[in-house]
Amino acid sequence: MTREEFQNLISQRVIVLDGATGTNLQKAGMPIGVCPEKWILEHPQALIDLQRAYVEAGTDIVYTPTFTASRIKLEEYGLQDQLAEMNRELVALSKQAVAGSGAMVAGDLTMTGKQLAPIGDLEFEVLVEVYKEQAMALAQAGVDLFVVETMMSLQETRAAVLAVREVCDLPIMASLTYETDGRTLYGTDAKTAMVVLQSLGADAVGINCSTGPLEMIDAVLQMKEYANIPVLAKPNAGLPELEDGVTVYRMTPEEFAAAGAKLVEAGASIVGGCCGTTPAHIRALKQAVSNLPVPTISTEKKSVLATERAVLTIDLDGSFLVVGERINPTGKKALQAQLREGDLELVCQMAQEQEENGAAILDVNMGMNGIDEKEMMLAAIEELGTATSLPLCIDSSNVDVLEAALRHYPGRALVNSVSLETVKIERLLPIVAKYGAMFILLPLSDEGIPATTEEKRAIVRTILTRAYSLGFTKEDIVVDGLTATVGANPDAALECFDTIHYCRNELGLATICGLSNISFGLPNRPFVNTAFLTMAIQQGLTMAIANPSQDLLMNAAFASDMLLHKPDSDIRYINRMQVYEKHLASQEPKAAVKKADSAASPIKGSGLGVVYDCVMSGDKKNIVKHVKVMLENGTAPGEIINGMLIPAINDVGTLFEQQKYFLPQLIASAGAMQTAIEYLEPLLKQEDGQEEMATIVIATVEGDIHDIGKNLVALMLKNYGYRVIDLGKDVAADTIVSTAMKEHAAVIGLSALMTTTMMRMKDVVELAKERGCDSRIIIGGACITESFAEEIGADGYSADAASCVKLVQRLLA
């Protein structure tokens, strides 16, 4: 199936996917803890019968049972050498099941269970290769299309989509799973996933597993607002409940179908079922949606940048935006010195300060002598992912650096820049298209700066023609006004205004300019820059590359928006002035003026010291250096822990609960604290009177091989001083209880991601009671709820690592 054929199919009717595989195969006899793919190959009729039942119920697309048939997953069973053979045979079973029906077969890829760097130790390119291996096997086996499903990490989803795209040109559906707060475990919301993945080349994006159908409506609506491709929804049959010791889904086929129809009405063009659904659910769903109007796929494009967790819409009639220019080593000796040492502390500090001062985007340039620019750019992108919430403008004259940055950036970036110079138009522009980025159009050619305004316009039109041929739209492009120096060219400002007006009003393009050029060589440059900016905004300038710590400039920009009656500009101006005046009254540095239309950054300037700040910002690299300084100055190890580290991680937990921090920041902060604790521990043992903390045994239950959340809980508990014994994943109840009794554990912590393994938690609870184990038992995981904990007799439930620490403290108080 071609991508065009896929889109034509979507336009004709609502597409119905299959339902659950794992829960139904367990009913057919598949035991917990085995390799599912191996069991299916040993019992092929169980899968064939199930998928035939789905096809007979009305399924248009079945998923191959290759959910965990990647190298990383198969390694856990010692089957990695059989990857190609197993994937090929599993596809053959699905093709046999749908033979003669007209239904299609989607090659199924999913998460690996490993964490990408910098949070984990899995490198991005290694992950892409892992997915390419499986995608190649699936493509060669003859799948009709691909699905990347049940993903928690947007970056891991990007790796899978890229892998498939580099193997073949078959259609790709991608769906993530979201928590009850509307975000993935890593903090991505539905609209961000849609923006990033559709720009990368996915043919449909959606949500699966997670919740029941009604709870998915909001995510579908979010995606639909930004979607130019179909939206997919594959919900569970409600939430799992415990009945006579068995996990059940109570939502009937009729209830599921009625709710599924509401998903279509909300904009989902592709629907199906996940955990707990059966052929009866899919049959009812097919009947419910078969006569519904096919959701319209919007052709209206938006200019949108994205981080891994948020989007920024660029509106020609909206607020003026500042691209922070500070992260550039040119003329900055301190930054150059740090970069030569591989130190990004100042880069992160500049990012946070610029965000606080009102920047909407951060320009990142690592071009200087004496360093590997590509390596440093990739390191900066990783660090800035947790240091700031702003999208990045990747700035380099080196095409290889730009390509590497776009490949690794976990959102949708702005590229600075593409000109008519041969290497840029012929080599760089296709790269920008491949990775779905926006770009700044710089009206230069191999001949240099255009001599006339008409020549500049001609260059703009030539680049646009080439860009449109590669699939770009005008919403993907921001034109640089090419600001010259007014001291050398008296018409410099007028020529820039002409370009802005032409692009904004005749071509419908966003515009940008670098402010500092206009005043080069003149006295009191901020006055010239500010006057130029206000006039440019009036001409329609969308954004400017500038230093947001310059109050005169920023305040004038806010005032200009208000005078031009842009939406909400009066409130934004008043808010900024209120903050500005407070800082003037307190005689704080001008650079301390915070972003007026959003919350100030919680990272810097706490007053509790640089060690505290290192934990807040996840600065694992520099925290020990600062700890050493404090020790040399006479601060006791216990005082550092209790007065700085513990308060910092408490505040991180609070920000996590408030959804101001997300999993990457939580992990980075916990990692920084762990680094400091490990350095301080030997010194603590030399101090008298240290109270011995409780022992906690923690494990992922038998049959479940997911451990991301469990690992973070263990790390957080260790940071609070508890003695944590981590038994790993897929751990039998006997091992857990025996270890707890042997080690006199005060608490047993259990994790499960899958509904098919959550009942093993009850096994542990019952075995502990049977053996007289007095450890308190707490549980958590994506499928676990407070009510489930009560039903199985657990002592407590926590939704995440931060709340787990509080739960343990409460239980042991």
Side-chain angles (χ1 to χ4, degrees), residues 173 211 283 301 340 365 509 545 559 591 599 681 700 710:
M173 302 185 296
T211 64
R283 181 177 292 106
K301 306 285 187 177
R340 289 193 179 96
N365 185 305
L509 296 168
I545 300 174
E681 268 184 336
T700 301
K710 183 265 298 176

Side-chain angles (χ1 to χ4, degrees), residues 481-535:
L482 201 61
T483 310
T485 300
V486 73
N489 175 9
D491 291 328
L494 298 176
E495 291 171 357
C496 186
F497 297 156
D498 177 84
T499 302
I500 293 168
H501 186 275
Y502 171 69
C503 292
R504 168 67 177 82
N505 296 299
E506 296 188 36
L507 301 179
L509 296 168
T511 52
I512 189 171
C513 68
L515 290 183
S516 58
N517 284 350
I518 194 70
S519 63
F520 184 78
L522 295 175
N524 295 317
R525 294 178 64 186
F527 294 111
V528 180
N529 294 344
T530 302
F532 173 71
L533 175 63
T534 58
M535 297 170 75

Side-chain angles (χ1 to χ4, degrees), residues 81-193:
D81 293 338
Q82 301 177 41
L83 182 150
E85 176 185 354
M86 291 179 70
N87 277 275
R88 184 170 62 249
E89 292 177 2
L90 291 165
V91 171
L93 292 180
S94 290
K95 291 172 77 71
Q96 181 180 342
V98 306
S101 68
M104 290 162 289
V105 174
D108 193 337
L109 308 175
T110 191
M111 57 184 174
T112 63
K114 300 288 186 180
Q115 291 177 297
L116 280 166
I119 297 172
D121 57 6
L122 181 61
E123 294 299 329
F124 183 78
E125 289 301 335
V126 173
L127 180 60
V128 172
E129 286 303 313
V130 166
Y131 282 128
K132 285 175 79 170
E133 289 172 355
Q134 189 180 7
M136 181 68 75
L138 293 169
Q140 291 176 347
V143 298
D144 299 297
L145 69 163
F146 280 85
V147 61
V148 181
E149 63 149 327
T150 322
M151 304 298 283
M152 296 182 179
S153 162
L154 179 58
Q155 183 70 324
E156 190 169 357
T157 313
R158 287 185 71 254
V161 171
L162 277 173
V164 175
R165 274 287 158 263
E166 292 176 355
V167 164
C168 65
D169 200 35
L170 293 176
I172 304 171
M173 302 185 296
S175 63
L176 289 85
T177 180
Y178 296 86
E179 306 286 310
T180 54
D181 62 2
R183 293 182 179 271
T184 69
L185 184 66
Y186 289 83
T188 302
D189 60 21
K191 59 181 178 289
T192 301

Side-chain angles (χ1 to χ4, degrees), residues 576-640:
R576 181 174 177 88
M577 289 302 103
Q578 289 175 341
V579 177
Y580 176 66
E581 288 168 1
K582 286 181 181 179
H583 282 285
L584 286 182
S586 63
Q587 295 183 336
E588 291 189 16
K590 290 183 179 180
V593 178
K594 308 297 181 188
K595 199 172 187 177
D597 53 351
S598 69
S601 168
I603 295 175
K604 293 292 182 182
S606 63
L608 291 180
V610 69
V611 172
Y612 172 97
D613 292 342
C614 283
V615 174
M616 295 299 295
S617 61
D619 189 354
K620 184 177 181 179
K621 181 177 292 186
N622 291 293
I623 192 167
V624 170
K625 174 180 67 177
H626 297 304
V627 166
K628 288 179 179 178
V629 171
M630 297 206 69
L631 292 170
E632 291 169 0
N633 290 335
T635 307
E639 186 178 342
I640 295 174

Side-chain angles (χ1 to χ4, degrees), residues 448-464:
I449 298 175
T452 65
T453 297
E454 184 49 47
E455 183 183 349
K456 186 194 288 187
R457 291 186 178 189
I459 292 174
V460 169
R461 291 192 295 268
T462 301
I463 298 174
L464 288 178

Side-chain angles (χ1 to χ4, degrees), residues 28-78:
M30 184 176 73
I32 292 173
V34 301
C35 173
E37 290 77 12
K38 187 173 186 292
W39 186 89
I40 290 169
L41 291 174
E42 293 170 348
H43 305 82
Q45 200 60 44
L47 177 83
I48 293 172
D49 290 345
L50 176 62
Q51 293 197 327
R52 280 180 177 165
Y54 280 132
V55 172
E56 291 168 0
T59 291
D60 296 300
I61 301 173
V62 300
Y63 289 7
T64 60
T66 54
F67 189 74
T68 55
S70 67
R71 184 213 313 165
I72 289 176
K73 287 292 189 180
L74 291 177
E75 279 176 350
E76 298 178 4
Y77 304 100

Side-chain angles (χ1 to χ4, degrees), residues 334-355:
L335 179 57
Q336 291 174 8
Q338 281 201 0
L339 294 180
R340 289 193 179 96
E341 295 298 321
D343 188 348
L344 292 166
E345 183 177 15
L346 192 51
V347 167
C348 293
Q349 179 183 328
M350 287 177 169
Q352 292 156 8
E353 289 174 351
Q354 289 183 105
E355 180 174 4

